[in-house]
Amino acid sequence: MKILLVEDATALLRAIELKLKKIGYDVHPCSDGRQALQELDAFAPDLIITDIMLPFVSGLEVLNAAKAKSKKIPVIVFSAMGQENAVEEAFLLGADDYVVKPFGLKELEMRIKRVMGTINADANS
Amino acid sequence: MALYGLLSISDLLKPGFFYAVAAGFAVLIVVLLILIYWNLYKRKQAFFRPESFRMGFELWVSKLVLEDTQIPASRIPAKFAKHLKQRDKRQFALNSLIELKKSVAGTVGDKVVALYLELGFKADSIEKLDSPVWYKKVKGINELSVMKQEDMNARIFKLTNNRNKYIRREAQAAMFNFYGFRGLRFLNVLTHSLSDWQQLNLIEQLRPLDPEPIPGLSNWLYSDNNTVVVFALKLAEIYQCFEVHDEVVSCLTHEREEVRGQAAKTLKEIAGDATAAILCERYASETPRNKIVILNSLTAIAGDAQQPFLMKELDSGNDFLKLGAARVIVTCCTAGWGLLESKAAQQPLPFRNIYNHLRFELKR
């Protein structure tokens, strides 16, 4: 599964990238929204994980562009505490789930699986 | 002058002299271009060298914190150890860890803290804490707070009442970050004002915590510091601290308008049987602003017993207060709409408008 990961905090970006690669996902990291928009077509992700606050182009714009391209691409957004309004807006734009920072990488993994509907599949296999 | 002495005017006008000068300028321009290029090259190198260090460092940190084993100091690669002796790169690395710790929780977060300690960054943070320069001190407090270095609490606690508002604010947030509600004990000693912004920040920090009894709340309601009283009233409102009802009532007679207003607002959330009557009693002596606050609170807690008082308020001179009183009547009194309708029949202006407004407002 191909995941487009968008996060401007590069240390975090790197850690999540490694974690997801370790699990077996094909991860493409982007450190700003503009780059993410370019990668939407080039990388054709199955899932997008994006921070809301990004340089140049916000995570909400990335979400909007992804949903405009295909409503079927699931999107998980990262938010900081106190960004309830932005999270609400993200859901209105079609976000599938959100994770509040600080979060555990295990939690992120579970949310990815839930969004992709693979938890049951894993359990059955 | 020497050159002028050697050359006559006619020599200066010869073509050979012009060629020599032009050649000299050309050489000068070439030298300048080389210098500019060299300067840009050096700057580029200076930009990309820390960038490559950062990328390498972050990759190493990410790998390390995702491993299942503990982090021994001996595993720090020599190339990083060498770089980390330089002040700017050290700060670079520390910022990366701080950034990561702010975003991740659980075992990975704990490993980031372990790495912070292994790399000796705590000493750097303490050095900043000791600095007489305010922004360095703030940075030091922030780093220790993010990395949960609770053993530094005594030193940070002393700064919660610092005369510099930025230091004070960061220290207060750190205490709160360490101990949650118990960290609010700095309110016992705070003599400087707690700005609205800082109050909002603290309330925002409290939000994810499970509610628990707030030690010291009743004392803060009697504080000499008005901003502490207002903040305590806000806490009592948000966490519905019924146990301080009587102390909040006593704040209705406070000398400061904002304290009285906040007390009236808080009482809405912790009201008892007699609260509505108490608010009605205080109403007459209040400022117009606080009268509106009281009427807003009464909207949630008044009953038929307050009807005579409210009917009297419909005849006050201020249309906002009339509207407020009418709102309480229609929401809290039996047959409130009928009372307002008959008032509108007797005195169409402004009561017909108020009636229609409330019909529209409460239908939404």
Side-chain angles (χ1 to χ4, degrees):
Chain A
M1 187 175 71
K2 294 199 284 185
I3 299 178
L4 182 65
L5 176 64
V6 198
E7 168 61 61
D8 62 326
T10 48
L12 178 64
L13 178 74
R14 208 56 65 203
I16 301 174
E17 181 194 352
L18 283 181
K19 172 75 183 175
L20 298 183
K21 278 183 174 168
K22 217 170 164 183
I23 299 167
Y25 297 124
D26 178 7
V27 185
H28 190 92
C30 296
S31 55
D32 68 64
R34 206 159 49 189
Q35 195 190 347
L37 289 183
Q38 288 164 1
E39 295 300 333
L40 267 181
D41 286 319
F43 184 60
D46 301 310
L47 168 70
I48 297 169
I49 304 175
T50 179
D51 192 8
I52 290 179
M53 304 297 281
L54 291 171
F56 309 123
V57 172
S58 79
L60 294 178
E61 287 171 85
V62 173
L63 163 67
N64 207 9
K67 291 291 174 181
K69 191 170 141 57
S70 166
K71 293 245 181 255
K72 285 182 186 167
I73 302 177
V75 180
I76 298 176
V77 293
F78 292 142
S79 77
M81 249 178 275
Q83 286 185 339
E84 287 86 357
N85 290 343
V87 171
E88 198 181 320
E89 203 182 331
F91 276 116
L92 289 174
L93 289 171
D96 297 84
D97 203 350
Y98 79 105
V99 189
V100 181
K101 289 179 188 175
F103 56 85
L105 293 181
K106 190 74 191 164
E107 180 193 349
L108 179 65
E109 183 190 339
M110 297 309 285
R111 284 183 187 269
I112 291 171
K113 286 188 174 175
R114 194 179 67 83
V115 164
M116 300 307 291
T118 55
I119 285 184
N120 289 336
D122 282 358
N124 293 334
S125 61
Chain B
M1 287 299 282
L3 187 68
Y4 184 74
L6 291 173
L7 298 170
S8 64
I9 298 289
S10 58
D11 288 334
L12 291 176
L13 293 174
K14 281 180 183 167
F17 178 75
F18 284 109
Y19 292 138
V21 171
F25 272 111
V27 170
L28 198 66
I29 286 167
V30 170
V31 170
L32 267 175
L33 285 173
I34 290 169
L35 284 175
I36 289 168
Y37 177 81
W38 181 251
N39 184 275
L40 288 174
Y41 176 74
K42 282 283 173 195
R43 278 167 182 255
K44 191 177 166 185
Q45 267 199 328
F47 178 79
F48 282 109
R49 211 179 299 131
E51 186 66 7
S52 66
F53 163 72
R54 183 179 65 79
M55 285 173 71
F57 181 78
E58 283 176 354
L59 190 65
W60 174 68
V61 168
S62 302
K63 280 182 182 165
L64 209 58
V65 295
L66 290 174
E67 280 178 10
D68 295 330
T69 50
Q70 291 297 311
I71 298 168
S74 54
R75 287 202 31 208
I76 297 165
K79 61 174 178 177
F80 291 133
K82 188 184 77 184
H83 281 304
L84 289 174
K85 283 179 185 147
Q86 296 170 31
R87 183 178 280 268
D88 56 336
K89 287 184 181 164
R90 209 172 159 74
Q91 189 57 50
F92 226 77
L94 176 51
N95 289 345
S96 289
L97 290 186
I98 295 280
E99 189 186 68
L100 191 56
K101 178 68 183 81
K102 279 180 183 171
S103 303
V104 292
T107 47
V108 175
D110 294 342
K111 282 192 174 178
V112 175
V113 176
L115 198 55
Y116 165 83
L117 296 173
E118 281 295 344
L119 292 172
F121 286 143
K122 185 173 178 180
D124 295 31
S125 301
I126 292 173
E127 194 185 319
K128 287 177 202 136
L129 184 72
D130 291 337
S131 167
V133 184
W134 70 267
Y135 60 85
K136 286 188 182 170
K137 218 181 242 313
V138 168
K139 179 96 176 121
I141 298 168
N142 181 265
E143 287 170 3
L144 292 164
S145 164
V146 171
M147 292 297 175
K148 295 266 181 194
Q149 298 304 300
E150 288 176 23
D151 58 320
M152 299 304 295
N153 80 81
R155 295 195 50 197
I156 293 175
F157 184 78
K158 281 182 190 162
L159 299 170
T160 56
N161 199 28
N162 192 281
R163 65 171 188 271
N164 181 304
K165 65 178 176 184
Y166 299 107
I167 295 175
R168 200 161 72 221
R169 208 181 276 173
E170 199 61 47
Q172 290 167 0
M175 290 309 292
F176 192 78
N177 196 24
F178 289 157
Y179 303 114
F181 285 96
R182 284 187 301 123
L184 290 173
R185 67 190 166 94
F186 67 80
L187 293 172
N188 294 329
V189 294
L190 188 66
T191 54
H192 291 93
S193 71
L194 194 63
S195 69
D196 286 349
W197 177 244
Q198 177 65 346
Q199 290 184 29
L200 272 175
N201 271 335
L202 291 172
I203 287 169
E204 204 53 45
Q205 272 184 278
L206 275 167
R207 204 184 287 271
L209 302 180
D210 290 330
E212 55 179 83
I214 306 171
L217 182 62
S218 51
N219 291 336
W220 304 334
L221 290 168
Y222 291 113
S223 171
D224 292 333
N225 184 335
N226 298 324
T227 56
V228 169
V229 182
V230 170
F231 182 63
L233 286 167
K234 285 180 184 169
L235 290 177
E237 180 193 357
I238 294 167
Y239 293 96
Q240 295 187 299
C241 305
F242 288 92
E243 69 277 12
V244 291
H245 177 273
D246 294 346
E247 288 88 338
V248 175
V249 167
S250 72
C251 290
L252 289 173
T253 52
H254 199 277
E255 58 179 359
R256 299 296 296 250
E257 183 191 9
E258 66 269 27
V259 175
R260 295 195 308 273
Q262 182 57 51
K265 197 162 172 269
T266 301
L267 282 172
K268 179 181 166 184
E269 300 299 328
I270 57 170
D273 293 340
T275 311
I278 293 168
L279 285 175
C280 293
E281 250 176 62
R282 292 298 315 160
Y283 185 86
S285 56
E286 267 308 341
T287 60
R289 187 194 296 260
N290 280 352
K291 280 182 175 173
I292 290 175
V293 176
I294 289 178
L295 288 172
N296 282 341
S297 293
L298 286 175
T299 313
I301 60 173
D304 286 332
Q306 281 70 50
Q307 188 188 307
F309 159 78
L310 294 163
M311 290 303 287
K312 208 175 93 196
E313 280 317 303
L314 287 182
D315 296 325
S316 79
N318 185 322
D319 282 351
F320 285 107
L321 298 180
K322 282 179 188 168
L323 176 65
R327 190 182 285 114
V328 185
I329 289 170
V330 299
T331 32
C332 302
C333 300
T334 316
W337 285 109
L339 289 169
L340 188 59
E341 200 161 13
S342 57
K343 188 75 180 171
Q346 289 164 22
Q347 205 181 321
L349 270 179
F351 291 105
R352 179 53 58 194
N353 291 343
I354 288 177
Y355 180 88
N356 290 337
H357 176 85
L358 289 174
R359 273 281 179 213
F360 177 74
E361 179 189 299
L362 297 172
K363 201 166 70 180
R364 276 186 297 176

